[in-house]
Amino acid sequence: MRQIINIVKIGGNVIDFPDKLTNFLNDFASITGPKILVHGGGKTATTIADKLGIESKFIEGRRVTSKKMIKITLMVYAGLINKEIVATLCAKSCPAIGLTGADASVIMARKRSPEPVDYGEVGDIDYIDTDFITKLIDSDITPVFCSITSDNDGHLLNTNADTVAVELAIALASVYDVRLIYCFEKDGVMSDGTVIPQINSEMFEELKNNGTINSGMIPKITNALRAAKTPGVLDVNIRNAEHLLYGSGTYITD
Amino acid sequence: MRQIINIVKIGGNVIDFPDKLTNFLNDFASITGPKILVHGGGKTATTIADKLGIESKFIEGRRVTSKKMIKITLMVYAGLINKEIVATLCAKSCPAIGLTGADASVIMARKRSPEPVDYGEVGDIDYIDTDFITKLIDSDITPVFCSITSDNDGHLLNTNADTVAVELAIALASVYDVRLIYCFEKDGVMSDGTVIPQINSEMFEELKNNGTINSGMIPKITNALRAAKTPGVLDVNIRNAEHLLYGSGTYITD
């Protein structure tokens, strides 16, 4: 029988508040069975870049990663945030290991074409080494991924954390029954102040057209739908980070 | 029959020069059999701290790690330098994984007493999980350690990279025959412009007394002697990073 794995993505805005992050990690540590945590970077990367005189540039809400900015993301995502999360989880009896895609070449990517939009040092995922991840999990070690990948030539690349979570879900669905949970600061996908309990492809088109779903939520749900369509993915859910263990949030279904 | 493992420590001053580091990593990648790389931080941590308005404080050449400074070391050692080394090695057909002591609790430390000298967030190593390291090596993955450890409560601590290398050598001598190699910018321990080919405990006392060996070289050799005395450690050598593959340098012997 296949085991269930929980793949949890924690949004940047929770990472910006140490108390919220600690509460979330308490909950995450208490999940039994195989699990993976994927985290974004929060506002710290922008703050540090500002202080170092490196301009943060965004196109339609997506970061443009210059050669200087990839160094900042390495420092903040792979260094500061990742290792603080790992040390905290280990202290909560949840042995964890911090990983970028470069480590053991576990997530290999290819630099995105500069056409039509040049996002700089940004990678699209080509390959995930599910064997390596499974071995860690079989040794009771929880992988904690930040949103950095690498290409075959050793160039480090920035990859959206939502995308890392989805690609892990799709790849690991060949080995486990996957629950993919996106945690952020809201209770789910909202419409007029209430949570939409379920969204499928058709509803998504409608909700985009009437403007209920817009900006950053569009790529998030597009990604989530891709996972939901994958055999072996049991469910895909978007919920409040404060309700990791007992939330219902919004289910994204095929 | 026990396998030989090469544990190589690369000094900070080589890390500050990208071309030197690349040449060194070419050589390191070409070493066959089990191996581990341990790296320090170079001057980048001080430069970044300066730019962020965080004061770098040293007592007798050793960094005092304030609560702000440990975040800088996490960013620079565990993020920037570690992941660039890992990605470079992977691209040179040397699958590598970047680790702090916090990852999988592989190197656990205890915060050093603030008496007689308060070095701040600095850790002395208590425990090394040789099983975890051996499993990685058996999977043909080379561990790349930076000089960060963690205590049982999830506090990240700065630990001298020479010490990390020595403690790894001593711990792994229970499993492998260990060669410990310190690489830096000189050809070995120098006396009047020539390399001293061999130093044992007695000679070390003499060389300290006559001033040939001083300052930062004293803790390095004290550490090296500890490793040299350990059964299972074949040899301990200090050499030029440019001569990793064919250098003779200075052998430290019991």
Side-chain angles (χ1 to χ4, degrees):
Chain A
M1 209 184 87
R2 285 160 45 113
Q3 281 186 291
I4 291 176
I5 190 167
N6 283 283
I7 300 178
V8 180
K9 189 256 167 169
I10 178 70
N13 21 38
V14 176
I15 288 167
D16 292 330
F17 299 94
D19 288 352
K20 284 191 183 180
L21 181 59
T22 303
N23 289 339
F24 169 80
L25 294 176
N26 274 332
D27 289 346
F28 179 80
S30 76
I31 296 174
T32 52
K35 61 194 169 188
I36 289 176
L37 184 60
V38 180
H39 64 86
K43 294 208 174 73
T44 313
T46 306
T47 312
I48 301 269
D50 278 354
K51 287 189 183 173
L52 295 175
I54 296 165
E55 195 192 354
S56 287
K57 205 176 144 192
F58 295 87
I59 298 175
E60 290 173 0
R62 296 209 151 199
R63 183 184 286 286
V64 176
T65 307
S66 65
K67 286 193 190 296
K68 282 185 179 171
M69 188 54 79
I70 189 75
K71 289 179 188 281
I72 302 289
T73 58
L74 276 177
M75 292 201 294
V76 176
Y77 302 173
L80 187 62
I81 298 173
N82 189 269
K83 297 312 172 190
E84 287 191 340
I85 289 176
V86 164
T88 302
L89 288 176
C90 286
K92 293 181 193 302
S93 305
C94 171
I97 188 167
L99 297 170
T100 65
D103 293 291
S105 302
V106 64
I107 306 181
M108 298 308 284
R110 172 199 325 222
K111 189 174 168 180
R112 189 175 301 163
S113 161
E115 299 295 337
V117 183
D118 187 357
Y119 285 104
E121 306 302 300
V122 163
D124 294 314
I125 295 172
D126 268 344
Y127 170 77
I128 292 183
D129 185 347
T130 53
D131 276 359
F132 180 71
I133 296 171
T134 307
K135 269 189 204 167
L136 288 173
I137 290 169
D138 286 347
S139 308
D140 287 324
I141 295 171
T142 295
V144 177
F145 285 96
C146 68
S147 52
I148 304 278
T149 57
S150 170
D151 73 7
N152 288 324
D153 299 323
H155 297 119
L156 290 150
L157 299 165
N158 194 4
T159 299
N160 179 280
D162 284 352
T163 307
V164 172
V166 163
E167 296 291 348
L168 283 167
I170 293 171
L172 288 164
S174 63
V175 185
Y176 300 94
D177 284 340
V178 176
R179 291 187 193 280
L180 174 61
I181 307 169
Y182 289 98
C183 289
F184 71 150
E185 75 284 7
K186 295 184 191 165
D187 288 343
V189 183
M190 309 299 286
S191 172
D192 292 329
T194 42
V195 177
I196 306 172
Q198 191 186 338
I199 298 174
N200 61 23
S201 305
E202 279 168 53
M203 287 170 68
F204 180 45
E205 289 308 312
E206 236 170 77
L207 291 163
K208 271 195 296 187
N209 289 338
N210 68 25
T212 305
I213 294 176
N214 51 41
S215 67
M217 197 51 89
I218 294 175
K220 194 187 277 288
I221 297 180
T222 306
N223 256 330
L225 275 166
R226 233 163 32 86
K229 287 182 207 300
T230 305
V233 174
L234 297 181
D235 50 50
V236 181
N237 184 260
I238 301 181
R239 69 174 69 167
N240 196 314
E242 293 176 18
H243 306 157
L244 173 61
L245 299 181
Y246 56 89
S248 51
T250 302
Y251 282 92
I252 310 294
T253 56
D254 185 10
Chain B
M1 211 184 84
R2 286 161 44 111
Q3 279 186 293
I4 291 175
I5 190 169
N6 283 282
I7 301 178
V8 180
K9 188 256 167 168
I10 178 70
N13 22 37
V14 176
I15 288 167
D16 292 329
F17 299 94
D19 288 352
K20 284 191 182 179
L21 181 59
T22 303
N23 289 339
F24 169 80
L25 293 175
N26 274 333
D27 289 346
F28 179 80
S30 76
I31 296 174
T32 53
K35 61 193 170 191
I36 288 177
L37 184 60
V38 180
H39 64 86
K43 295 210 173 72
T44 314
T46 306
T47 311
I48 300 270
D50 278 353
K51 287 189 183 173
L52 295 175
I54 296 164
E55 195 191 355
S56 288
K57 203 176 145 191
F58 295 87
I59 298 175
E60 290 174 1
R62 295 208 153 203
R63 182 183 287 284
V64 176
T65 307
S66 66
K67 286 193 189 298
K68 283 185 179 170
M69 188 54 78
I70 189 76
K71 289 180 188 282
I72 302 289
T73 58
L74 276 176
M75 293 201 294
V76 175
Y77 302 174
L80 186 63
I81 297 173
N82 189 268
K83 298 312 173 190
E84 288 191 340
I85 289 176
V86 163
T88 302
L89 287 177
C90 286
K92 293 181 193 301
S93 305
C94 171
I97 189 167
L99 297 171
T100 65
D103 294 292
S105 302
V106 66
I107 306 180
M108 298 308 284
R110 171 197 326 221
K111 190 175 168 179
R112 191 175 300 164
S113 161
E115 300 294 337
V117 183
D118 188 358
Y119 285 105
E121 307 302 301
V122 163
D124 293 313
I125 295 171
D126 268 343
Y127 171 77
I128 293 182
D129 186 347
T130 52
D131 276 359
F132 180 70
I133 296 171
T134 307
K135 270 189 201 165
L136 288 174
I137 290 169
D138 287 347
S139 307
D140 287 323
I141 295 172
T142 295
V144 178
F145 285 95
C146 68
S147 53
I148 304 278
T149 57
S150 170
D151 73 8
N152 288 326
D153 299 322
H155 298 120
L156 291 150
L157 299 165
N158 193 3
T159 299
N160 180 279
D162 284 353
T163 307
V164 171
V166 163
E167 296 292 347
L168 283 167
I170 292 171
L172 288 164
S174 63
V175 185
Y176 300 94
D177 284 341
V178 176
R179 290 187 193 281
L180 174 61
I181 307 168
Y182 289 97
C183 288
F184 72 151
E185 75 284 8
K186 294 183 191 166
D187 288 343
V189 183
M190 309 299 286
S191 171
D192 292 330
T194 42
V195 177
I196 305 173
Q198 191 185 337
I199 298 175
N200 62 23
S201 305
E202 278 168 55
M203 288 170 68
F204 180 44
E205 289 308 312
E206 234 170 81
L207 291 163
K208 272 196 293 187
N209 290 338
N210 69 24
T212 305
I213 294 176
N214 51 41
S215 68
M217 196 53 87
I218 294 175
K220 194 186 278 290
I221 296 179
T222 306
N223 257 329
L225 275 166
R226 232 161 35 84
K229 286 182 207 299
T230 306
V233 174
L234 297 181
D235 51 49
V236 181
N237 184 261
I238 301 180
R239 69 173 70 167
N240 197 313
E242 293 177 17
H243 306 156
L244 173 61
L245 299 181
Y246 56 89
S248 51
T250 301
Y251 282 92
I252 309 296
T253 57
D254 185 9

